[in-house]
Every structure is written in C-alpha cells, then in structure tokens.
Amino acid sequence: MTGYFKNIGLRRIAGMVSGNIILGIGIAVFRASLLGNDPYSAMLLAGAEHLPVTYSTLLLIVNAAVFSVEILWGRHFIGIGTFVNWFLLGYVASFFMEVSAVFQIPERGLFIRLLTVAAGVLVVSLGVSLYQSADLGIAPYDSLSMIISEHCPLPYFWCRLGTDVVCTAVCFALGGIVNVGTAVCAFGLGPFIHFFDRTVSFRVLGMEQLNRK
C-alpha cells in the first residue's frame, strides 16, 4: 500500500482531493443560484426532499448502487479517486450549501442568479479538471457512461447525455429544479474543463508531458 501511494505521488493525490473539494463548492454555488444543478446532483437533491435522508447520505447510497456496476464491468476505472469522490463530495457540498444558505437572498434578481451560475461553471469546471487530470480513478456516476460506451456502439457523448437525461427526468418528476444551470452542466462544461486542463491542472499536477498530444 505504501508503494502504491509512493508511485502515485503526493501532487496527484493532493490535486485529486482538491478537485473534489472545489467540485463540492461548485455544487453549492449552483444550488445557491436556484437555477438548477448538474443532472446527477439535481436528482439527488430532489430525492432528498422526499426521503428521510440528507443529500450527502443519499449520494453515498446511490453511489453504492452505481459502484456495483463499475466493479462488475468497469474495474479499470476504479482507483483511490473513486472512493474520495464517493465519500467526500457529498459532505463538502452539503457543508457549503449550508454556508451559502445563510447568505441567501430569495428576492435577488435573475441577473445575479445568472452570474451565480456563471461562477458555478468556472468552479465546477476547475474541480472536475483537477479531479480527472489526476487520473486516480473515476467516480461511480462518471464511470457509468464510460462503461455503457465500451459496451455499445454509441459514442461516449451520447452515452453521457443519456445518463444525464435520465437523471434530469427523475429530478423533474420529483419536483426538483431543472433550469438553465442543469442545461449548462449537461452541455456546456466541456470547453471550460479543457481550458483548465491545459492552463492549470496539467501544470499543477506535473503531468504536461503525460497529457500532451
């Protein structure tokens, strides 16, 4: 085990953990906008409103179910980052959602809420970039579309879109918030994540050569 961590390197571990913490902050920022979260978080937030469990607890439970798929058909996606995302992200997001709720102003205008969404895009994109660039394992939900893509002729984009559409539909059915923030997370994060990959993550993690094409 000591050898495993030594081979990974402290920078990659720190980057992966930092990425998940930043991602949790981003989820809270989107929640504060009241204009929707990413499809998976939106579904779980809506589900928590109907169940006697918190968002963070429901995330642990649903991730356990999705992980059963990952361990059966996507073991090569599993790493330490899988478990850090699984067990840390929900609590970080919940903490910052509680903090942001203290400063929430329900009457604030649409323009301020859209600015909040824009901030959420940047924060979430940076978090995802750091967590994924560390290449230390894929979160259970993120692995699902990759596994589907490996076992069907559809490209990854359509597999990811399919899982996100299902989550969005469940969120809507449960009375959750489906709005511009949900759409932005489903369709618009890619260019921002790529930007942070090249300008921040690869450099911070010391992986420029490994990821340069």
Side-chain angles (χ1 to χ4, degrees):
M1 182 63 71
T2 303
Y4 171 76
F5 285 106
K6 185 176 181 180
N7 289 333
I8 290 173
L10 182 60
R11 288 175 71 177
R12 288 172 64 192
I13 295 174
M16 177 270 295
V17 174
S18 298
N20 276 286
I21 292 173
I22 293 170
L23 179 55
I25 295 172
I27 291 172
V29 172
F30 270 106
R31 182 65 168 177
S33 75
L34 300 178
L35 290 175
N37 280 78
D38 66 274
Y40 190 51
S41 297
M43 178 186 72
L44 295 174
L45 286 165
E49 296 290 334
H50 296 272
L51 297 170
V53 295
T54 63
Y55 159 75
S56 54
T57 300
L58 184 60
L59 177 61
L60 293 178
I61 295 170
V62 176
N63 272 349
V66 180
F67 182 70
S68 66
V69 176
E70 187 175 10
I71 200 169
L72 286 174
W73 291 290
R75 292 187 182 180
H76 49 293
F77 294 127
I78 299 174
I80 185 176
T82 304
F83 300 98
V84 170
N85 180 279
W86 179 354
F87 291 99
L88 177 66
L89 181 62
Y91 292 103
V92 172
S94 294
F95 171 78
F96 284 101
M97 279 190 276
E98 291 178 7
V99 171
S100 65
V102 176
F103 304 100
Q104 195 111 296
I105 305 173
E107 295 80 13
R108 67 191 184 281
L110 179 60
F111 178 70
I112 298 300
R113 292 163 66 185
L114 288 173
L115 284 180
T116 306
V117 168
V121 167
L122 296 177
V123 176
V124 165
S125 296
L126 175 59
V128 171
S129 175
L130 280 168
Y131 139 65
Q132 291 186 346
S133 294
D135 194 25
L136 294 177
I138 304 298
Y141 177 72
D142 291 335
S143 75
L144 188 59
S145 51
M146 295 181 178
I147 292 169
I148 295 172
S149 179
E150 288 185 344
H151 292 82
C152 79
L154 290 175
Y156 166 76
F157 172 82
W158 294 107
C159 296
R160 179 65 188 223
L161 182 61
T163 58
D164 282 350
V165 166
V166 170
C167 291
T168 301
V170 173
C171 174
F172 183 78
L174 293 174
I177 301 174
V178 176
N179 209 306
V180 63
T182 313
V184 167
C185 284
F187 298 102
L189 294 185
F192 295 97
I193 294 172
H194 181 73
F195 169 78
F196 283 119
D197 284 347
R198 297 298 177 183
T199 60
V200 179
S201 299
F202 292 170
R203 296 180 181 181
V204 169
L205 300 175
M207 301 176 70
E208 299 97 330
Q209 297 299 324
L210 179 63
N211 290 282
R212 186 173 294 146
K213 296 181 180 180

